[in-house]
Amino acid sequence: MIVLFLYQESMSDNKLKQLQEVLGVTFSNTALLQEALTHSSYVNENSPATANERLEFVGDAVLGLILAEKLFLDYPDLAEGDLTRMRSQLVCRSSLATIARTIGLGDYLYLGQGEATSGGRGKPANLAGALEALFAAIYLDRDWQSTRECVMHIFKDDLARISRERHSDDYKSHLQEALQHLFKAAPSYHIIAESGPDHNRQFTAEVVLDDKVLACGVGRSKKLAEADAARTALEALRETAPSSTLPPLLS
């Protein structure tokens, strides 16, 4: 009862309900949800509370397995090393923190006063840990399928991004082959601008051949911006070069 009282003082039931709506999950045991949101600094000031480190430990494993299964099924042609790298991109601290920001997770954390005033709601370690703890709480409160559905919902944009990046290499390799065929030279890429907040960056890239800018492209990652520039350059080649001079992949 003391623990519940302390929690209720710092966050209203409406706020917890709001987070559940964002997650698309209704908890049977809201104490698990509260524990997932509890930073150790809060425990230091409110000793009956329980910090989220143990849930974070479980959540790391749950999230890793869900994403490993997703990548395994989506990319049957990829080797273990490629799948491992893709999963690492999704679950690294910076990626998890960015995803946590998109759902406003920092607003729901139970933090000690000192941690809160020092910007604790925006710290990548706090956000990433709480997100993993949330998945553990969902798994323990609900079931595997509910957790998987929540992960797929929250990671939807990032899964789509790595899929685009997986295919974006085609544009760059096709452009390089075409330019080697036509001019015996390879292009280079340069990021010339970036804008937007950390969770929604936009990059602008240019593709250059012999100091001449062939095209520019934009994307939510440097890789996607370069691929977009390569795509635009390929389209320009198709329009301007005689078909008889193009390699088979462009003619």
Side-chain angles (χ1 to χ4, degrees), residues 37-247:
L37 300 171
T38 302
H39 187 262
S40 57
S41 63
Y42 184 88
V43 178
N44 293 336
E45 298 176 13
N46 303 275
S47 57
T50 302
N52 61 10
E53 283 105 337
R54 283 169 53 83
L55 285 177
E56 181 182 344
F57 166 75
V58 175
D60 175 66
V62 169
L63 178 61
L65 181 54
I66 289 173
L67 292 175
E69 178 194 47
K70 172 67 172 172
L71 296 173
F72 177 82
L73 295 175
D74 284 359
Y75 303 98
D77 58 320
L78 291 187
E80 176 194 4
D82 294 322
L83 293 172
T84 299
R85 281 189 290 275
M86 292 174 75
R87 183 179 61 180
S88 295
Q89 290 177 26
L90 291 167
V91 301
C92 69
R93 176 181 289 181
S94 61
S95 293
L96 292 180
T98 297
I99 290 173
R101 290 188 187 98
T102 65
I103 62 173
L105 187 57
D107 294 338
Y108 302 98
L109 298 183
Y110 297 102
L111 301 175
Q113 288 186 344
E115 184 68 15
T117 56
S118 67
R121 297 190 185 280
K123 291 181 180 178
N126 295 348
L127 292 169
L131 186 64
E132 289 178 329
L134 266 181
F135 294 132
I138 295 168
Y139 170 68
L140 295 171
D141 183 73
R142 309 296 298 169
D143 52 40
W144 178 262
Q145 185 58 29
S146 297
T147 312
R148 188 182 187 281
E149 289 173 359
C150 182
V151 170
M152 291 301 103
H153 168 63
I154 291 177
F155 278 79
K156 177 180 63 177
D157 290 343
D158 283 67
L159 287 167
R161 174 182 55 78
I162 65 168
S163 177
R164 291 193 302 270
E165 289 183 349
R166 161 80 178 144
H167 296 293
S168 69
D169 287 336
D170 292 341
Y171 290 121
K172 294 176 71 174
S173 61
H174 287 175
L175 179 62
Q176 178 156 332
E177 183 175 341
L179 295 178
Q180 287 281 7
H181 180 85
L182 291 168
F183 307 109
K184 310 301 181 188
S188 60
Y189 295 85
H190 309 283
I191 300 299
I192 58 174
E194 56 182 279
S195 60
D198 288 342
H199 67 276
N200 189 26
R201 301 296 287 170
Q202 179 160 290
F203 298 88
T204 302
E206 63 181 16
V207 56
V208 178
L209 183 71
D210 293 333
D211 297 324
K212 178 183 178 182
V213 176
L214 301 181
C216 291
V218 296
R220 292 187 62 181
S221 71
K222 294 178 181 179
K223 191 172 184 178
L224 288 175
E226 291 173 356
D228 190 47
R231 178 189 59 79
T232 304
L234 283 168
E235 291 175 354
L237 277 178
R238 288 192 179 99
E239 292 176 0
T240 60
S243 59
S244 60
T245 67
L246 294 174

Side-chain angles (χ1 to χ4, degrees), residues 1-8 10-13 16-17 19-20 25-39 42-43 48-56 108 110 130 133-134 136-142:
M1 292 296 294
I2 296 174
V3 174
L4 182 59
F5 174 76
L6 288 170
Y7 278 130
Q8 287 178 336
S10 60
M11 188 179 302
S12 69
D13 289 342
L16 290 174
K17 183 179 178 182
L19 177 57
Q20 291 175 82
V25 175
T26 301
F27 276 79
S28 298
N29 180 9
T30 55
L32 270 173
L33 173 58
Q34 291 171 325
E35 182 177 334
L37 300 171
T38 302
H39 187 262
Y42 184 88
V43 178
T50 302
N52 61 10
E53 283 105 337
R54 283 169 53 83
L55 285 177
E56 181 182 344
Y108 302 98
Y110 297 102
L134 266 181
I138 295 168
Y139 170 68
L140 295 171
D141 183 73
R142 309 296 298 169

